[in-house]
């Protein structure tokens, strides 16, 4: 008897420890944690549902079945608009810990004390994939961090590449359209893709990144993050400084080659989502070391390029990385829709001491994300639990679609008033964002240096192969020529090798 029991429990142990895939075993784990049903089934209004209602509607009047009515009217409205970009993503929660304070240049409380921990929400997301798309596409990836600070939310809404695609915000919708679906075929379209690159050559630097190894990150845990924008910060004396944030994965940067990525896309389209969830479930918490590159007013004036241009990198040799802290993700969401889909990041979520960036793209983003979330989540999206700051909010905004929470109780609803409604505070050394002039700049200098010096020769070869693989699908011969011209303008060797790759691939590469 006893040995039988031992054997059974031994088998039980094997079965139990076999599940390293926490994501796959989630629902079983739920039952393991709940020995009984969690409660009596109710309608959304709280009425207990009986077996007759729950088991069948046949030969009964539907309208009297409140379980049916509740289920049907709710089910048809489960969907909300997806994000227009970055629709697919995975996220997690954790904390940011300051390892080196920023007090000499920035008065923001979030960075003012070594050892200070601030809770964070993070979401990672390929730009162009739809909500049900693949995790292993060749695409820049979003790296968005919400710091729930004691001064309200501070969001860094960045990418896994240090440069953006366009400098002028006017061109962003065109970029997105050119990389998403063709209006007739509803397929992504290489002619559209390369036509945008050719017509907006500033995008070539980001395009090179996208076709290089970092264009397909190996999951999200091995992906760096960049604020891209150069933020203006002020210290407690009101002195102005400028910073770019960088987050380097402690387990190293890893990428997937095109072949592996394509295989994975077929086998597990949610590869990166699964990897992140399982790593955190296993207690293998991903972490990043955070740095800032610091510039003075003198530095920005004396730089030989526009340090606010988001299509340009700030070379670390010239603007060294200064350590700031550590980002740790140690908690998965409990409910994906509530906590990750409803996350609303906005570059304009700033705190005293961090003023945002002076470039026009940032200015456009201050507006764009608010507008997107008003539409996607409704104008009270700030009241959704994951978006609520940890500090009390006192606003004069009221009413609108739910969730209104307590709707600011009975507090006066207009400003100014004589009846002790909320009042503004007086900021010491109030400073505004500087105004800058944004010139055209040199579009090819940094991409050339990247091609020549940042990549190893094997990396260059893979970059060329990846570009060739894309350009062979371009059917417009003139566009092919122009694309090669752009690549030649970056570097002759790059253009020639891509050309040779195309010729080798397509003997029918006519008229060139
Ligand atoms: C430096 C340039 C930019 C970077 C690094 C960037 C990055 C991101 C990231 C990471 C997200 C995903 C946020 C999330 O996980 O929920 C996002 C979403 C979005 N971005 Fe950008 N973006 C940039 C420029 C722009 C511009 C110029 C626009 C134009 C308005 C724009 C419009 C949007 C919109 C509408 C969303 C979806 C927001 C939502 O529905 O919640 N982005 N962006
Ligand atoms: C079950 O409980 C364990 C221990 O608290 C926890 O780690 C796990 O996430 C729980 N599983 C589910 C599905 O809630
Ligand atoms: C566009 O389609 C090609 C196949 O034609 C595919 O390789 C590529 O990953 C797609 N791009 C995106 C962003 O889905
Ligand atoms: C040419 O390109 C096609 C489409 O990308 C690819 O399937 C084929 O393997 C390539 N051939 C050579 C010789 O590179």
């Amino acid at each position: 008897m006893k040995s039988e029991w031992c054997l059974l429990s031994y088998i039980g142990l094997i079965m139990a420890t076999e599940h390293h895939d926490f994501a796959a075993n989630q629902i079983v784990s739920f039952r393991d944690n709940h020995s009984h049903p969690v409660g009596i089934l109710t309608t959304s209004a709280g009425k207990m549902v009986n077996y007759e209602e729950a088991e069948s509607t046949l030969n009964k009047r539907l309208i009297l079945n409140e379980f049916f009515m509740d289920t049907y009217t709710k089910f048809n409205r489960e969907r909300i608009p997806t994000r227009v970009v970055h629709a697919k993503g995975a996220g997690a929660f954790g904390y940011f810990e300051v390892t080196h304070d920023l007090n000499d240049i920035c008065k923001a409380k979030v960075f003012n004390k070594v050892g200070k921990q601030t809770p964070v929400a993070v979401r990672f997301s390929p730009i162009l994939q739809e909500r049900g798309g693949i995790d292993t596409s060749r695409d820049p990836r979003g790296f968005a961090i919400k710091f729930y600070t004691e001064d309200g939310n501070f969001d860094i809404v960045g990418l896994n590449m240090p440069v953006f695609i366009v400098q002028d915000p006017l061109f962003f919708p065109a970029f997105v359209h050119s990389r998403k679906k063709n209006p007739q075929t509803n397929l992504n379209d290489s002619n559209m893709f390369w036509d945008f690159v050719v017509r907006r050559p500033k995008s070539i630097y980001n395009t090179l990144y996208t076709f290089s190894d970092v264009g397909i990150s190996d999951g999200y845990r091995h992906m760096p993050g960049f604020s891209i924008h150069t933020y203006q910060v002020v210290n407690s004396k009101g002195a102005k400084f400028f910073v770019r944030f960088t987050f380097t994965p402690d387990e190293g940067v890893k990428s997937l080659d095109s072949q592996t990525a394509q295989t994975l896309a077929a086998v597990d389209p949610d590869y990166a989502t699964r990897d992140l969830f399982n790593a955190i479930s296993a207690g293998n918490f991903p972490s990043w070391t955070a740095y800032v590159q610091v510039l003075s007013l003198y530095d920005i004036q004396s730089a030989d390029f526009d340090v606010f241009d988001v299509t340009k990198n700030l070379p670390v040799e010239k603007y060294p990385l200064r350590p700031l802290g550590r980002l740790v993700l140690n908690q998965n969401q409990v409910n994906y829709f509530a906590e990750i889909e409803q996350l609303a990041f906005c570059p304009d979520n700033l705190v005293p001491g961090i003023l945002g960036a002076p470039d026009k793209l940032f200015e456009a983003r201050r507006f764009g994300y608010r507008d997107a979330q008003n539409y996607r989540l409704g104008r009270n999206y700030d009241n959704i639990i994951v978006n609520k700051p940890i500090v009390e909010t006192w606003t004069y905004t009221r009413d609108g679609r739910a969730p209104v929470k307590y709707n600011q109780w009975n507090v006066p609803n207009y400003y100014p008033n004589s009846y002790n409604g909320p009042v503004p505070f007086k900021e010491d050394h109030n400073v505004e964002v500087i105004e800058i002039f944004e010139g055209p700049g040199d579009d090819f200098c940094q991409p050339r240096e990247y091609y020549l010096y940042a990549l190893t020769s094997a990396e260059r070869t893979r970059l060329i192969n990846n570009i060739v693989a894309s350009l062979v699908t371009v059917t417009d011969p003139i566009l092919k020529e122009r694309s090669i011209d752009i690549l030649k303008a970056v570097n002759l060797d790059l253009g020639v090798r891509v050309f040779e790759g195309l010729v080798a691939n397509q003997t029918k590469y006519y008229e060139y």
Side-chain angles (χ1 to χ4, degrees):
M1 200 61 201
K2 185 146 189 266
S3 67
E4 233 170 70
W5 183 85
C6 275
L7 186 64
L8 274 179
S9 65
Y10 178 64
I11 292 170
L13 192 69
I14 294 174
M15 308 286 267
T17 50
E18 232 166 12
H19 293 290
H20 299 295
D21 190 339
F22 293 86
N25 196 50
Q26 185 275 341
I27 198 162
V28 177
S29 163
F30 183 88
R31 186 185 54 198
D32 291 344
N33 291 357
H34 300 86
S35 52
H36 302 289
V38 294
I40 300 287
L41 174 65
T42 67
T43 65
S44 303
K47 184 188 172 195
M48 288 192 288
V49 174
N50 66 35
Y51 271 100
E52 283 67 33
E53 289 174 303
E55 290 293 315
S56 171
T57 60
L58 303 183
N59 310 311
K60 294 175 203 164
R61 280 182 289 171
L62 283 181
I63 204 156
L64 299 186
N65 183 335
E66 287 174 43
F67 176 63
F68 168 83
M69 294 297 282
D70 189 37
T71 303
Y72 253 53
T73 52
K74 295 278 196 274
F75 171 70
N76 290 346
R77 288 162 183 264
E78 276 175 11
R79 296 285 176 274
I80 61 170
T82 61
R83 290 170 179 83
V84 68
V85 280
H86 299 267
K88 179 162 203 208
F93 300 86
Y95 62 89
F96 181 84
E97 180 172 334
V98 178
T99 53
H100 301 76
D101 71 63
L102 269 194
N103 293 336
D104 55 326
I105 60 163
C106 175
K107 68 178 178 182
K109 290 195 190 126
V110 55
F111 301 132
N112 75 353
K113 201 163 147 241
V114 172
K116 176 177 276 189
Q117 291 193 354
T118 300
V120 298
V122 174
R123 185 172 177 272
F124 308 105
S125 52
I127 297 187
L128 296 161
Q129 289 299 304
E130 304 297 341
R131 175 90 155 77
I134 58 171
D135 280 349
T136 54
S137 60
R138 185 167 290 291
D139 199 1
R141 281 160 174 75
F143 192 124
I145 311 166
K146 186 184 290 295
F147 299 80
Y148 301 94
T149 88
E150 58 203 282
D151 280 331
N153 293 347
F154 168 50
D155 295 357
I156 296 179
V157 195
L159 295 181
N160 69 333
M161 298 173 185
V163 293
F164 197 57
I165 301 124
V166 294
Q167 178 190 28
D168 189 329
L170 193 57
F171 307 152
F172 183 74
F175 156 74
V176 173
H177 287 170
S178 77
R179 293 222 181 160
K180 284 221 173 196
K181 300 294 168 87
N182 173 298
Q184 176 167 20
T185 62
N186 199 35
L187 298 167
N188 73 9
D189 190 312
S190 296
N191 292 323
M192 286 162 45
F193 181 114
W194 282 99
D195 192 34
F196 181 89
V197 174
V198 163
R199 290 191 156 256
R200 300 292 180 207
K202 261 190 194 309
S203 65
I204 192 66
Y205 196 8
N206 180 279
T207 305
L208 290 189
Y209 268 100
T210 305
F211 281 113
S212 69
D213 288 351
V214 295
I216 313 179
S217 62
D218 185 352
Y220 296 130
R221 295 185 287 141
H222 301 109
M223 189 173 97
F226 301 94
S227 70
I228 304 184
H229 294 279
T230 304
Y231 283 72
Q232 181 178 333
V233 295
V234 289
N235 68 14
S236 57
K237 299 192 183 73
K240 304 179 179 88
F241 294 90
F242 302 87
V243 298
R244 276 197 191 191
F245 296 89
T246 296
F247 298 82
T248 306
D250 292 330
E251 288 175 70
V253 175
K254 286 191 196 161
S255 304
L256 296 169
D257 61 78
S258 300
Q259 209 62 52
T260 312
Q262 274 165 29
T263 309
L264 276 170
V267 176
D268 185 7
D270 302 313
Y271 171 77
T273 308
R274 190 181 314 282
D275 175 70
L276 182 67
F277 191 93
N278 278 340
I280 294 174
S281 298
N284 180 11
F285 302 138
S287 66
W288 287 260
T289 302
Y291 302 92
V292 280
Q293 290 170 287
V294 181
L295 292 83
S296 64
L297 271 170
Y298 173 78
D299 291 332
I300 65 173
Q301 280 154 3
S302 60
D304 55 7
F305 67 100
D306 175 4
V307 297
F308 298 108
D309 181 348
V310 291
T311 67
K312 303 263 190 303
N313 199 357
L314 294 189
V316 290
E317 308 79 56
K318 200 157 173 208
Y319 308 99
L321 297 173
R322 166 175 158 175
L324 173 62
R326 201 162 161 257
L327 176 72
V328 179
L329 296 181
N330 59 6
Q331 200 189 324
N332 281 317
Q333 74 275 4
V334 175
N335 183 285
Y336 181 83
F337 185 89
E339 297 170 65
I340 307 298
E341 188 64 13
Q342 292 199 107
L343 263 173
F345 294 94
C346 178
D348 200 26
N349 284 343
L350 299 165
V351 288
I354 305 176
L355 282 70
D359 60 279
K360 195 58 67 186
L361 195 99
F362 194 89
E363 201 177 319
R365 295 180 78 200
R366 289 178 191 256
F367 163 76
Y369 291 67
R370 288 172 184 277
D371 181 53
Q373 288 145 13
N374 275 336
Y375 168 63
R376 183 169 73 84
L377 301 165
R379 73 84 113 157
N380 284 314
Y381 61 85
D382 291 306
N383 283 328
I384 295 168
I385 297 167
V386 277
N387 298 324
K388 269 202 92 57
I390 54 172
V391 291
E392 188 82 69
T393 53
W394 293 108
T395 75
Y396 286 98
T397 61
R398 299 293 155 96
D399 305 355
R401 286 273 169 86
V404 296
K405 277 280 271 179
Y406 297 105
N407 205 26
Q408 303 291 306
W409 299 273
N410 58 352
V411 176
N413 65 354
Y414 61 95
Y415 175 81
N417 66 70
S418 315
Y419 304 101
N420 286 343
V423 290
F425 87 113
K426 189 147 177 33
E427 186 162 3
D428 295 334
H429 309 289
N430 184 32
V431 173
E432 291 203 342
V433 181
I434 61 166
E435 293 208 25
I436 59 169
F437 173 80
E438 294 178 85
D442 180 336
D443 300 340
F444 297 110
C445 176
Q446 286 204 352
R448 183 175 306 128
E449 282 172 10
Y450 175 73
Y451 179 74
L452 287 175
Y453 308 119
L455 301 178
T456 66
S457 102
E459 286 168 343
R460 273 199 289 275
T461 302
R462 287 196 291 273
L463 167 70
I464 286 157
N465 290 343
N466 293 334
I467 294 177
V468 170
S470 173
L471 274 175
V472 291
T473 62
V474 167
T475 61
D476 176 353
I478 295 166
L479 178 57
K480 253 183 194 162
E481 271 176 44
R482 285 192 177 154
S483 304
I484 287 169
D485 288 344
I486 289 279
L487 296 168
K488 280 185 178 162
V490 172
N491 176 266
L492 192 61
D493 173 67
L494 169 64
V496 168
R497 286 178 67 187
V498 168
F499 173 68
E500 286 168 356
L502 286 173
V503 172
N505 185 287
Q506 270 180 322
T507 34
K508 263 189 12 202
Y509 185 68
Y510 25 78
E511 291 126 22
Y512 189 79

